[in-house]
Amino acid sequence: MSTTSPFPVPQYLAKLSFDGLREWFSSQPTSVLLSLAQTVCANTYGNKVYLRGLIEFSNHCFCDCLYCGIRHSNHKVERYTLSEEEIIAIVQRGIARGLKTFVLQSGENRQDLPETMSRLLRRLRRFANEDIAFTLSCGVYPREVYREWKKAGANRYLLRFETSDEDLFSHLCPGKSLSRRLQAIEDLKIEGYAVGSGFMVGLPGETLDTRIQNVFLCRELQLEMVGIGPFLPHPDTPLASHHSLPIEETVRMTALLRLLLPWANIPATTAAGSLHPRGREMMLEAGANVLMPNLTPTEKKRHYLLYANKICLDEDGWECLSCLSLRVASIGKSLSFAKGESLLREEKR
Ligand code: SAH
């Protein structure tokens, strides 16, 4: 698969088996991984960093994932759902500011969502033309629902598989299975979405082998977008007493992803910025090429805490834009307001 890739995957890496890759990866200092990944990223995306406006439109969730701060059993969470008018106003303001992609994220398994999301998308499409992309990140739904949302105006979908270890997945996400999640990813592809997935780095119970398997799974799925970030413990979850791995581990995994999936859009995630003050910059230096300013209204943001110490809670998302611009300039990159399709999609055109 990747050996026939039109992108400059270092060929010796693309051909390595699991054991070969693990050995190679473990023996490389981080500085070497970074410089390889930077070269590949520069060849494919130049020094551009694409922007996606993130709207956390609802924290209602009927799942009970052990790691997640908005899990159903966390009764301390004040639940909210933004109204259609609020969401539309944010998107309109974003478009006026030049943003071209909006990510609508929420908790999972909501009975009402199939219908309300379709209605919202249709309203958004009345003023957002095809230059604007809508990405959904709302969890697993039946394929027919994905089809309806696509018809109503969605273009892309983010659904992390979280971990490639089936047993660990079942343990961390009671009542859910990795195979169902992977089925949903296939459904989304069939329905024509640009699909993103990814995983957390450092989940309690995972090993380096799991992480390398995670990267292999991303490649096998031929993902257009890959979102990863460190696991961060939330005090009101069963994993409260566990610790994150140092940021370096997320940075190394980012570099490996860029080397094996040169075409992918890879965000420098808020979780990385929450673990380390330069976490997002470090991910960008390791081959990430996307940033997601959080446009959720400030008074709601603090109720969407998937993990502790989340950054930018007191800032307005619009202030984030100028902050991000300075941050990327500090590492010699610049923000791009382009729609930013993955190169895999461009290639298929
Ligand atoms: N309900 C949607 C969106 C989930 S929130 C869905 O199921 O896809 C987005 C991502 O946040 C999750 O996929 C997970 O990878 C990440 N996340 C959740 N809890 C976290 C934690 N404690 N630390 C780091 N990342 C976390």
Side-chain angles (χ1 to χ4, degrees):
M1 180 191 325
S2 48
T3 47
T4 58
S5 166
F7 307 105
V9 190
Q11 285 302 304
Y12 60 98
L13 286 181
K15 287 182 185 146
L16 285 178
S17 64
F18 177 82
D19 287 341
L21 191 76
R22 183 185 47 193
E23 195 179 319
W24 177 84
F25 181 73
S26 309
S27 66
Q28 298 305 311
T30 301
S31 58
V32 173
L33 291 176
L34 289 193
S35 78
L36 284 172
Q38 261 167 24
T39 308
V40 171
C41 190
N43 279 339
T44 46
Y45 287 104
N47 69 349
K48 293 277 173 279
V49 177
Y50 297 113
L51 286 169
R52 323 288 191 208
L54 173 65
I55 306 170
E56 298 156 334
F57 69 91
S58 173
N59 65 358
H60 284 275
C61 191
F62 296 89
C63 297
D64 237 344
C65 306
L66 268 51
Y67 46 78
C68 185
I70 63 167
R71 65 201 298 270
H72 190 57
S73 301
N74 184 3
H75 298 297
K76 292 192 185 166
V77 177
E78 196 176 300
R79 305 283 167 176
Y80 73 86
T81 299
L82 299 183
S83 69
E84 278 180 25
E85 278 63 34
E86 281 175 294
I87 300 170
I88 288 168
I90 298 168
V91 171
Q92 280 175 330
R93 194 169 168 195
I95 292 175
R97 290 285 297 263
L99 291 177
K100 300 217 168 41
T101 302
F102 298 88
V103 180
L104 299 169
Q105 192 178 82
S106 72
E108 192 162 338
N109 214 4
R110 301 172 35 142
Q111 298 284 307
D112 59 322
L113 199 64
E115 209 158 303
T116 53
M117 179 54 83
S118 294
R119 198 173 58 218
L120 171 67
L121 286 164
R122 279 194 293 271
R123 284 188 69 182
L124 291 170
R125 279 296 172 207
R126 281 190 211 144
F127 62 87
N129 64 20
E130 62 194 22
D131 280 350
I132 307 297
F134 290 112
T135 306
L136 305 184
S137 174
C138 312
V140 171
Y141 285 88
R143 185 168 152 197
E144 300 70 48
V145 173
Y146 291 151
R147 186 178 305 153
E148 281 308 308
W149 289 346
K150 184 88 192 352
K151 264 203 268 173
N155 312 94
R156 305 172 179 165
Y157 207 101
L158 302 177
L159 187 67
R160 290 188 181 179
F161 56 76
E162 316 294 6
T163 175
S164 59
D165 178 327
E166 259 183 281
D167 294 339
L168 184 59
F169 185 102
S170 304
H171 166 68
L172 292 174
C173 304
K176 296 164 79 173
S177 75
L178 178 62
S179 60
R180 177 66 190 93
R181 215 150 165 96
L182 295 178
Q183 180 59 54
I185 291 175
E186 288 310 318
D187 290 347
L188 287 161
K189 281 196 206 163
I190 295 168
E191 295 303 329
Y193 285 84
V195 179
S197 187
F199 54 91
M200 278 171 276
V201 176
L203 282 170
E206 85 178 28
T207 62
L208 175 62
D209 280 13
T210 322
R211 293 194 282 282
I212 293 184
Q213 207 69 67
N214 289 346
V215 175
F216 267 63
L217 181 54
C218 290
R219 182 172 65 178
E220 197 181 308
L221 294 170
Q222 291 280 290
L223 299 172
E224 298 196 38
M225 308 170 274
V226 186
I228 69 166
F231 156 74
L232 297 155
H234 185 293
D236 302 315
T237 61
L239 301 184
S241 62
H242 291 266
H243 296 284
S244 304
L245 290 181
I247 189 70
E248 187 179 357
E249 206 48 45
T250 297
V251 170
R252 288 175 63 86
M253 296 322 293
T254 307
L256 189 60
L257 275 171
R258 174 53 72 206
L259 292 172
L260 295 191
L261 290 82
W263 60 81
N265 275 317
I266 304 178
T269 48
T270 307
S274 302
L275 180 60
H276 188 283
R278 284 193 73 255
R280 283 174 299 176
E281 287 89 328
M282 289 160 92
M283 282 189 82
L284 291 171
E285 286 172 327
N289 69 319
V290 171
L291 277 169
M292 296 171 56
N294 189 340
L295 308 180
T296 312
T298 318
E299 71 278 10
K300 296 287 169 19
K301 260 185 194 173
R302 76 179 89 107
H303 304 304
Y304 199 90
L305 296 186
L306 308 173
Y307 44 79
N309 306 318
K310 193 170 169 192
I311 52 170
C312 308
L313 284 186
D314 298 328
E315 283 141 59
D316 190 80
W318 313 101
E319 292 167 38
C320 286
L321 273 177
S322 20
C323 164
L324 293 178
S325 163
L326 291 174
R327 283 174 182 268
V328 300
S330 78
I331 54 167
K333 299 201 176 210
S334 66
L335 292 183
S336 166
F337 283 83
K339 195 173 170 189
E341 300 278 22
S342 94
L343 291 181
L344 196 61
R345 185 147 291 244
E346 297 272 303
E347 192 67 26
K348 281 185 189 152
R349 282 232 167 107

